[in-house]
Amino acid sequence: MVIKVFLATSSGSTAIKKKQQDVVGFLEALKVDYTPLDIACNEENRMWMRENVPSEKKPTNGIPLPPQIFNEESYCGDYDTFFDAKEDNLVYTFLGLPPPPGSKEAGQADKEHIVENGTHAVETNEDGNLDDSIDVPVEERNGHAHEEEEAAGEEEEGEGGEEEEEEEEVAEGEAADDEATEGETAGDEAPAEEEEEEAVEETDEVTEDTVIAT
């Protein structure tokens, strides 16, 4: 692909000369290969430029002024559009060229590509290795550990429940033993009271007999 810059080397306009110098100087600074085409000394170049500039890009008088920039047969723009692209760091896009790796425009293109495709740039940690924790939700990173904690909690609850049941059974058994002991004690006390009553009756009878004998 050849970048064509149409210039008027013998132009009497200071403004046109300055614009041409700005375009050429910037392309040279970027080391972009281009071909300057003079329209002042070459009628063919002038006619070709006028015919290939889109009508909507031409001024009201219909005669486009240099500098005009093309990529092969494709129209790129005039000085104003070139200046806007330079301010936005989009000169390579303006020229229809791929930006070189490491340039600001290449970085912007990568960001736009990421946004459009919904992908994420590869990031590394401080050691230069891929950081697996990037863009991974906390729930996913800790999901297994969280599940294990829940399972452990459920097991502890189950063990605690069994221990409580065993304690309840032991308590019930002790209560039953206490009731049985009270029943035996009550049974032992009843005969003892009967014996005491019989002994009192016998004592009374002996006392009566003694009184009669006297």
Side-chain angles (χ1 to χ4, degrees):
M1 294 182 289
V2 178
I3 302 300
K4 300 177 181 179
V5 182
F6 289 86
L7 309 169
T9 56
S10 61
S11 174
S13 172
T14 303
I16 290 177
K17 287 181 180 180
K18 184 178 182 305
K19 291 177 180 179
Q20 292 176 162
Q21 289 173 357
D22 287 346
V23 172
V24 172
F26 196 76
L27 293 178
E28 291 177 351
L30 293 178
K31 297 182 180 180
V32 174
D33 293 332
Y34 71 96
T35 300
L37 299 172
D38 188 10
I39 64 172
C41 300
N42 190 316
E43 184 65 21
E44 185 178 348
N45 288 340
R46 181 170 58 185
M47 294 303 297
W48 192 94
M49 183 195 75
R50 291 183 178 182
E51 290 175 358
N52 287 277
V53 172
S55 57
E56 66 272 12
K57 300 296 182 180
K58 292 180 180 179
T60 54
N61 61 5
I63 301 175
L65 300 174
Q68 297 291 336
I69 306 167
F70 289 80
N71 184 336
E72 293 288 353
E73 310 299 322
S74 300
Y75 180 69
C76 297
D78 56 7
Y79 173 79
D80 292 335
T81 53
F82 174 83
F83 180 82
D84 292 339
K86 183 175 69 172
E87 291 294 312
D88 296 334
N89 293 318
L90 296 173
V91 173
Y92 288 98
T93 302
F94 169 81
L95 297 174
L97 300 175
S103 63
K104 291 183 179 180
E105 191 167 346
Q108 291 180 357
D110 290 340
K111 290 180 180 179
E112 291 176 358
H113 180 72
I114 291 170
V115 172
E116 290 176 359
N117 296 334
T119 57
H120 298 282
V122 177
E123 299 185 32
T124 57
N125 54 24
E126 295 179 355
D127 298 330
N129 300 321
L130 291 177
D131 193 346
D132 296 333
S133 65
I134 295 174
D135 295 332
V136 178
V138 176
E139 293 80 1
E140 294 182 8
R141 291 203 301 270
N142 300 332
H144 296 295
H146 183 64
E147 292 176 359
E148 292 177 358
E149 290 178 359
E150 289 184 350
E154 292 177 356
E155 291 179 358
E156 291 178 358
E157 290 179 358
E159 293 176 357
E162 292 177 358
E163 292 178 356
E164 291 178 358
E165 291 178 359
E166 291 176 357
E167 292 177 357
E168 290 178 357
E169 292 177 357
V170 171
E172 291 177 356
E174 292 177 353
D177 293 341
D178 293 340
E179 291 177 357
T181 302
E182 291 177 358
E184 292 175 357
T185 303
D188 294 339
E189 291 176 353
E193 291 178 356
E194 292 177 355
E195 291 177 358
E196 289 179 358
E197 291 177 355
E198 291 177 356
V200 171
E201 290 178 356
E202 291 177 358
T203 301
D204 292 340
E205 290 177 356
V206 170
T207 302
E208 288 177 358
D209 294 336
T210 301
V211 173
I212 293 170
T214 301

